[in-house]
Amino acid sequence: AQTVTQSQPEMSVQEAETVTLSCTYDTSESDYYLFWYKQPPSRQMILVIRQEAYKQQNATENRFSVNFQKAAKSFSLKISDSQLGDAAMYFCAYRSAFRGSNYKLTFGKGTLLTVNP
Amino acid sequence: DTEVTQTPKHLVMGMTNKKSLKCEQHMGHRAMYWYKQKAKKPPELMFVYSYEKLSINESVPSRFSPECPNSSLLNLHLHALQPEDSALYLCASSQGAQGDRTDTQYFGPGTRLTVL
């Protein structure tokens, strides 16, 4: 079974600064997807970024980028130029690309990010 | 457009009540999901529907009864719930096409359920 570990229960960052959220995972599979979801106090889970394991290039979405280290099974999220609206719980998630997995998501426990003005 | 809508936003019910949660998407997605989320915890998968058929039931108690009337709509019928069932209930959908490696789940805003 796959596991996802987010070792930082809480993080804080000053507005306009950069912060990195850590995520490690354990799997015996070679083909999978990794996701970062953001859940602000409004509760809605919002997809931030997605990474395909067979792609070497790190995914980026505007101020959000990942550092994907497949051999180390590490998938960290970097938020540049942090904004107050970035304050949220961030969940790292794993999904097997194996068809028989029913594409279930395995979530980490989350990291609560506070952005200080 | 990646919008999944859920109604109601909030629901308070007694242990003897019967109520339903509703989820809707118009993205042509063929897979829909129910999750339960406790405060400061990750979502826990409850049910998955694929092409309007129940494909996963994560050993959820029978007081939760899902229904998928059509490809755009997903309901969760609630009956005789317990106070510990109080939580945020999230619906999600994904393209769900058979063998679609890129399948990505998009979530609705959730229903905050309180059982008295």
Side-chain angles (χ1 to χ4, degrees), chain B residues 51-70:
Chain B
Y51 289 79
E52 295 123 68
K53 292 185 179 178
L54 183 65
S55 62
I56 295 178
N57 177 341
E58 293 285 339
S59 303
V60 179
S62 59
R63 56 186 185 268
F64 295 92
S65 175
E67 178 196 20
C68 189
N70 59 57

Side-chain angles (χ1 to χ4, degrees), chain B residues 32-51:
Chain B
M32 297 186 77
Y33 311 75
W34 279 116
Y35 288 86
K36 174 183 178 180
Q37 187 181 26
K38 290 283 200 177
K40 298 187 178 181
K41 299 288 186 182
E44 299 172 18
L45 184 65
M46 300 174 72
F47 303 103
V48 181
Y49 273 83
S50 178
Y51 289 79

Side-chain angles (χ1 to χ4, degrees), chain B residues 67-104:
Chain B
E67 178 196 20
C68 189
N70 59 57
S71 60
S72 300
L73 190 58
L74 184 66
N75 298 319
L76 185 63
H77 303 298
L78 314 172
H79 174 55
L81 294 193
Q82 303 297 310
E84 59 265 29
D85 296 322
S86 298
L88 180 67
Y89 288 83
L90 293 166
C91 174
S93 72
S94 69
Q95 287 189 324
Q98 297 296 332
D100 180 4
R101 296 165 41 82
T102 64
D103 199 68
T104 297

